[in-house]
Amino acid sequence: MTSADQSTPPQPPARRARRADAERNRAAIIEAAGVVFAEQGCAVDVREIARRSGVGMGTLYRHFPTKDDLLATVMEREFTSWLTAAHEAAAATEDPWEALTGFFEQTLDNQAHNRALVETYTATGAPARECARHRDAFIDELRIRCVDAGLLRDGVTTADLVLLSTSLSQAVQAADDSRPGQWRRLLRISLDGLSSRNTEPLPESAPHAGAAT
Amino acid sequence: MTSADQSTPPQPPARRARRADAERNRAAIIEAAGVVFAEQGCAVDVREIARRSGVGMGTLYRHFPTKDDLLATVMEREFTSWLTAAHEAAAATEDPWEALTGFFEQTLDNQAHNRALVETYTATGAPARECARHRDAFIDELRIRCVDAGLLRDGVTTADLVLLSTSLSQAVQAADDSRPGQWRRLLRISLDGLSSRNTEPLPESAPHAGAAT
Amino acid sequence: MTSADQSTPPQPPARRARRADAERNRAAIIEAAGVVFAEQGCAVDVREIARRSGVGMGTLYRHFPTKDDLLATVMEREFTSWLTAAHEAAAATEDPWEALTGFFEQTLDNQAHNRALVETYTATGAPARECARHRDAFIDELRIRCVDAGLLRDGVTTADLVLLSTSLSQAVQAADDSRPGQWRRLLRISLDGLSSRNTEPLPESAPHAGAAT
Amino acid sequence: MTSADQSTPPQPPARRARRADAERNRAAIIEAAGVVFAEQGCAVDVREIARRSGVGMGTLYRHFPTKDDLLATVMEREFTSWLTAAHEAAAATEDPWEALTGFFEQTLDNQAHNRALVETYTATGAPARECARHRDAFIDELRIRCVDAGLLRDGVTTADLVLLSTSLSQAVQAADDSRPGQWRRLLRISLDGLSSRNTEPLPESAPHAGAAT
DNA sequence: TATGAATGAGATTTCATTCAT
DNA sequence: GATGAATGAAATCTCATTCAT
């Protein structure tokens, strides 16, 4: 800051340096926003995020033109990293049913303490269309594996499983403070209801909006 | 006050007169607030409610000294009327399992399109302690009836059923726009998981905060 | 209210009765307002006064078209009754100096616990011109008695005495909670400064606005 | 920070830059608030202050999170600068009695046209405990100087002098519009009553709340 | 480019006064 | 004439976003 400033030429300041700095800022913002959104939900004051990121408001808004953009970015990242981990875990699990179970556990573990995640999950069903598609595709895989192994109840759709994960996420959110771990019981109950031991047909759901098996 | 009232309908108006109007306003406010809260959640502008009630801000605040008071009143009313209806339905249903099923259906039907109701349900588990107690007591009855009839899976607690209802409520909220009625499938799955056909024990939940049953 | 109502002809309802009722209401309002203003100052909610009067807002506003009218009326009454009492006391006191002293004591005793009175006293120097004139005339009498008896310091004007009473009133208001009775010391000090033992001349005050002696 | 500053005026700006502007705004707000509070008392609309400062509401509230904070800051500043000046004047005055007199004059000169200052002075005896302590300590010094010189009436306490200053402040407030400068006469009277020429003992004040001296 | 101060529309709440019954 | 519910213009305070430095 003192003697160094005087010696380094001010004009060609290695654009990479800027980039790196900017990137670091961006990362810091996302990181901080992730924590803050998780703790306090989507409605937090943007300044809280700036403060925890260690950057100014201007910087924050340079990277994310809108609070919603920031939120979307953060949610998408968390969503994606969760999906990636889920993919890996599923790939490493031989037993189809265990893979399905593991997916749910991972999901809920992940969302138990993330307020914003659940809020957005609820609002739109997913942070973004793209993410939702990935998730659906993945869940579909898990489903098919179970179906092929004859483990899944007849007629259970991907949409059912998606809805179940949404549903349980929120239960976890709501209850984990007062009764930590209780959601595992609920998960078990639901999964048992999904098993092929249950032979009675499920009710038809009205074939309304843009649906798919 | 009893027999006298029936014989003398002369002029009981006096101070009742204005009361009636006020009562109508109060009702209008609650009505409008119910609609608005349901549509847009707890965070709506109070003025929107005043506008839709057809009353001024002052009137609204005369009846409900705080936005939260209004919200609480509305939620409590909806909660209570739901519980009452549920009671009646359960009393009229002989079969314990059908009673349980009916309770869940009624609950979800009721909450499918009420954003504020789900928001408060999530936040506190219920509009108010008192309401929650009633609900828990009622669910407990339903549970016991099923247990006595040997229909309920071993080890299922009232807390489990409460959590399930919370969980499903939110799923309904999230999904009913795009897939109306799909929740019935999820409900079926969950209930099947609750039946005594499932004999494997449920995982213990950490006996943390103020638990019961 | 019961049998009596039926026997008395409803048309010519003895206008006196109304009058009497209205008068009673008016008195109740003034009474309650006096208490409330004294306790909480001029800025109280009008409804508090209506409540304590036992009358409705409409009645209150029928008698006093404005909050300020009510305040003025109340202040004037208290001011007047204080002046009347002061007159009587002064008339009953032979010694001029004692009369002056007694006047101040009475004044301060009276205002020690009346917030609104001091507030208005401060604001305008008096509740109303008329009242102020009476007060000034009376204080002038007291002054002249002392002057004639050679007891009052040379050059002390009525305005000086008025200002002194204002000044002390507020001191009483401010301090009487924490140090009840301390004002008597201050009064003594001031009065000693007023005695003819003090021979040095007082500074001239700028002969500004509409002044008199 | 001392000698270095004088030699190197290169670029100490950096983060000071914006600070300076903010500081100017803060000063403008305090300045404007001082004027407005003085003119109209504590109850003014905050927006009036914002308007006169030339800043938006947000800026005002960034600097002072509450109207009361702003008021307290302003009052404290005025109180403190007054005390400082009083200290200096007293230190520069040899004669104890003249020092005491000068203190009162300065005080009243200062408060003659400041409504808010008198209002808070009345309400709490001072803008804040801390300030009051300083004032009391200072007045105590003045008192002791007079006592040591045998100039002060026997038994006069610091509390008496404090109350006197409060009392006169308000008198000034009330009367200075119509009779500017009249307070000097009242001050003279009171001070004469405080001189050791008066030998009669002062009445005891009830030894109530937290008293001293 | 980064900073964080500034902005100002809007949210909640109060209260003097009016008006339907 | 009495009642007290209704009114709505303020007043305080918040926060997403912009902008001067």
Side-chain angles (χ1 to χ4, degrees):
Chain A
M1 256 279 181
T2 52
S3 57
D5 275 352
Q6 294 168 352
S7 55
T8 43
Q11 271 78 25
R15 309 194 80 174
R16 297 288 160 195
R18 286 286 174 213
R19 272 287 158 78
D21 244 45
E23 220 41 61
R24 210 165 326 144
N25 272 339
R26 193 185 157 87
I29 293 166
I30 291 177
E31 163 86 13
V35 173
V36 174
F37 280 136
E39 277 176 16
Q40 317 193 33
C42 299
V44 269
D45 193 328
V46 183
R47 272 128 96 174
E48 173 72 9
I49 296 171
R51 204 175 309 130
R52 291 229 217 163
S53 313
V55 307
M57 293 293 287
T59 306
L60 195 155
Y61 271 86
R62 162 172 295 274
H63 286 287
F64 304 95
T66 276
K67 185 190 187 182
D68 277 352
D69 288 331
L70 172 57
L71 179 62
T73 303
V74 171
M75 293 299 103
E76 217 172 295
R77 279 180 80 102
E78 300 191 341
F79 204 82
T80 301
S81 84
W82 153 65
L83 261 188
T84 305
H87 252 115
E88 285 167 10
T93 309
E94 199 119 354
D95 181 56
W97 191 257
E98 206 178 310
L100 185 67
T101 305
F103 164 73
F104 274 107
E105 276 174 351
Q106 201 169 9
T107 301
L108 300 178
D109 246 350
N110 204 275
Q111 307 196 338
H113 301 299
N114 195 325
R115 285 187 51 181
L117 198 51
V118 172
E119 283 170 15
T120 44
Y121 213 135
T122 306
T124 64
R129 285 300 126 204
E130 193 59 21
C131 290
R133 222 185 336 269
H134 283 148
R135 177 198 58 192
D136 293 354
F138 175 54
I139 292 183
D140 202 40
E141 279 179 37
L142 293 173
R143 185 182 65 85
I144 289 173
R145 281 175 68 185
C146 289
V147 165
D148 290 348
L151 298 170
L152 196 69
R153 181 174 190 163
D154 235 46
V156 171
T157 67
T158 295
D160 291 331
L161 297 175
V162 169
L163 187 57
L164 180 58
S165 78
T166 303
S167 167
L168 290 171
S169 294
Q170 294 168 304
V172 167
Q173 182 77 70
D176 209 57
D177 286 340
S178 52
R179 304 170 174 277
Q182 197 200 350
W183 59 267
R184 290 179 195 281
R185 298 165 58 84
L186 205 56
L187 174 57
R188 180 59 190 267
I189 289 168
S190 304
L191 289 174
D192 283 342
L194 285 173
S195 103
S196 54
R197 275 169 310 187
N198 298 281
T199 52
E200 293 181 47
L202 294 170
E204 287 299 314
S205 89
H208 236 242
T213 304
Chain B
M1 257 277 182
T2 50
S3 58
D5 274 353
Q6 294 169 351
S7 53
T8 54
Q11 263 97 354
R15 53 190 317 183
R16 293 293 156 194
R18 179 41 63 150
R19 257 310 139 77
D21 235 48
E23 214 46 58
R24 210 169 322 147
N25 266 333
R26 191 187 158 90
I29 292 167
I30 290 179
E31 165 86 13
V35 173
V36 175
F37 280 137
E39 276 175 16
Q40 319 192 31
C42 300
V44 272
D45 191 332
V46 183
R47 280 171 301 188
E48 173 71 11
I49 296 172
R51 207 173 306 128
R52 289 225 218 167
S53 315
V55 305
M57 290 296 289
T59 304
L60 197 156
Y61 272 87
R62 154 178 279 272
H63 287 288
F64 304 95
T66 277
K67 187 191 187 181
D68 277 353
D69 286 333
L70 173 57
L71 180 62
T73 302
V74 171
M75 292 299 103
E76 216 171 297
R77 264 175 159 253
E78 300 189 341
F79 203 84
T80 301
S81 84
W82 153 65
L83 260 188
T84 306
H87 251 115
E88 284 166 11
T93 309
E94 199 120 353
D95 181 57
W97 191 258
E98 206 178 310
L100 185 66
T101 304
F103 165 72
F104 275 105
E105 276 174 351
Q106 201 166 11
T107 301
L108 300 178
D109 244 350
N110 205 277
Q111 306 195 338
H113 301 299
N114 196 325
R115 285 188 51 182
L117 197 51
V118 173
E119 283 170 18
T120 43
Y121 213 135
T122 305
T124 63
R129 287 297 126 204
E130 193 59 20
C131 290
R133 221 185 338 268
H134 283 149
R135 176 200 57 192
D136 293 354
F138 176 53
I139 292 184
D140 203 41
E141 279 179 37
L142 293 174
R143 185 182 65 86
I144 289 172
R145 281 175 66 184
C146 290
V147 166
D148 289 347
L151 299 171
L152 196 69
R153 181 174 189 165
D154 235 46
V156 170
T157 67
T158 296
D160 292 329
L161 297 175
V162 169
L163 186 59
L164 180 58
S165 79
T166 303
S167 167
L168 291 171
S169 294
Q170 293 167 310
V172 167
Q173 179 79 68
D176 209 57
D177 288 340
S178 53
R179 303 171 175 278
Q182 198 201 349
W183 59 267
R184 290 182 193 282
R185 299 166 56 84
L186 203 57
L187 173 58
R188 181 58 192 265
I189 289 169
S190 304
L191 289 174
D192 283 342
L194 285 174
S195 101
S196 54
R197 276 168 313 188
N198 299 281
T199 52
E200 292 181 51
L202 293 169
E204 289 296 315
S205 87
H208 236 241
T213 306
Chain C
M1 255 277 182
T2 51
S3 57
D5 276 352
Q6 295 168 351
S7 55
T8 43
Q11 272 78 26
R15 309 194 78 174
R16 296 290 159 194
R18 285 287 173 211
R19 275 286 159 79
D21 244 44
E23 219 42 59
R24 210 167 325 147
N25 271 338
R26 191 185 159 88
I29 292 166
I30 290 178
E31 164 87 14
V35 173
V36 174
F37 280 136
E39 277 175 16
Q40 317 193 32
C42 299
V44 271
D45 193 328
V46 183
R47 270 127 96 176
E48 173 71 9
I49 296 171
R51 205 174 308 129
R52 291 228 217 163
S53 313
V55 307
M57 293 292 287
T59 305
L60 196 156
Y61 271 85
R62 162 172 296 275
H63 287 287
F64 304 95
T66 277
K67 187 191 187 181
D68 277 353
D69 288 332
L70 172 57
L71 180 62
T73 303
V74 171
M75 293 298 104
E76 217 172 296
R77 278 180 81 102
E78 300 191 341
F79 203 83
T80 301
S81 84
W82 153 66
L83 262 187
T84 306
H87 252 114
E88 285 167 9
T93 309
E94 198 120 352
D95 181 57
W97 191 257
E98 205 178 311
L100 185 68
T101 305
F103 165 72
F104 275 106
E105 276 174 350
Q106 200 168 10
T107 301
L108 300 179
D109 247 350
N110 204 275
Q111 306 196 340
H113 301 298
N114 195 326
R115 285 188 51 181
L117 198 51
V118 173
E119 283 170 14
T120 43
Y121 213 135
T122 305
T124 63
R129 285 300 125 204
E130 193 60 21
C131 289
R133 221 180 342 263
H134 284 149
R135 177 199 59 191
D136 293 354
F138 175 54
I139 291 184
D140 203 41
E141 279 179 36
L142 293 174
R143 184 180 66 86
I144 290 173
R145 281 175 66 185
C146 289
V147 167
D148 290 348
L151 299 170
L152 195 69
R153 181 174 188 163
D154 234 46
V156 170
T157 66
T158 296
D160 292 329
L161 297 175
V162 169
L163 186 58
L164 179 59
S165 78
T166 304
S167 168
L168 290 171
S169 294
Q170 294 168 307
V172 167
Q173 181 79 69
D176 209 57
D177 288 339
S178 53
R179 303 169 175 280
Q182 198 200 350
W183 59 268
R184 290 180 194 280
R185 298 165 57 83
L186 206 56
L187 174 57
R188 181 58 192 266
I189 289 167
S190 305
L191 289 175
D192 283 343
L194 284 174
S195 100
S196 54
R197 275 168 313 189
N198 298 280
T199 52
E200 293 181 48
L202 294 170
E204 288 298 312
S205 88
H208 237 242
T213 305
Chain D
M1 255 282 181
T2 51
S3 57
D5 274 352
Q6 294 169 352
S7 54
T8 54
Q11 263 95 356
R15 55 190 316 185
R16 293 292 158 194
R18 181 39 63 151
R19 254 316 136 76
D21 236 50
E23 214 46 58
R24 210 167 322 145
N25 266 332
R26 191 187 157 90
I29 292 167
I30 291 179
E31 165 87 13
V35 173
V36 175
F37 279 137
E39 277 175 17
Q40 319 192 29
C42 300
V44 271
D45 192 331
V46 183
R47 279 171 302 188
E48 172 71 9
I49 296 171
R51 207 175 306 129
R52 289 226 217 165
S53 314
V55 306
M57 290 295 288
T59 303
L60 197 155
Y61 273 88
R62 155 178 277 272
H63 288 287
F64 304 95
T66 277
K67 187 192 187 180
D68 277 353
D69 286 334
L70 174 57
L71 179 62
T73 302
V74 171
M75 293 298 103
E76 218 172 296
R77 266 178 156 250
E78 300 190 340
F79 203 84
T80 301
S81 83
W82 154 65
L83 260 188
T84 306
H87 251 115
E88 284 167 11
T93 309
E94 198 118 354
D95 180 56
W97 191 257
E98 206 179 311
L100 184 68
T101 304
F103 164 72
F104 275 105
E105 275 174 352
Q106 201 168 10
T107 301
L108 300 179
D109 244 351
N110 206 276
Q111 306 195 338
H113 300 299
N114 197 325
R115 284 188 52 180
L117 197 51
V118 173
E119 283 170 16
T120 44
Y121 213 136
T122 305
T124 64
R129 286 298 128 205
E130 193 60 20
C131 291
R133 225 187 332 270
H134 283 148
R135 178 200 56 190
D136 293 353
F138 175 54
I139 292 184
D140 202 41
E141 279 178 38
L142 293 175
R143 184 182 65 87
I144 289 172
R145 282 175 67 185
C146 290
V147 167
D148 289 348
L151 299 170
L152 195 69
R153 180 174 190 163
D154 235 46
V156 170
T157 66
T158 296
D160 291 329
L161 297 174
V162 169
L163 186 59
L164 179 58
S165 78
T166 304
S167 166
L168 290 171
S169 295
Q170 293 167 310
V172 167
Q173 179 80 69
D176 209 57
D177 288 340
S178 52
R179 306 170 174 275
Q182 198 201 349
W183 58 266
R184 291 182 195 281
R185 300 165 57 84
L186 203 56
L187 174 57
R188 181 59 191 266
I189 290 168
S190 305
L191 289 174
D192 283 341
L194 285 174
S195 100
S196 53
R197 275 168 310 186
N198 297 281
T199 51
E200 293 179 51
L202 294 169
E204 289 297 313
S205 88
H208 236 244
T213 306

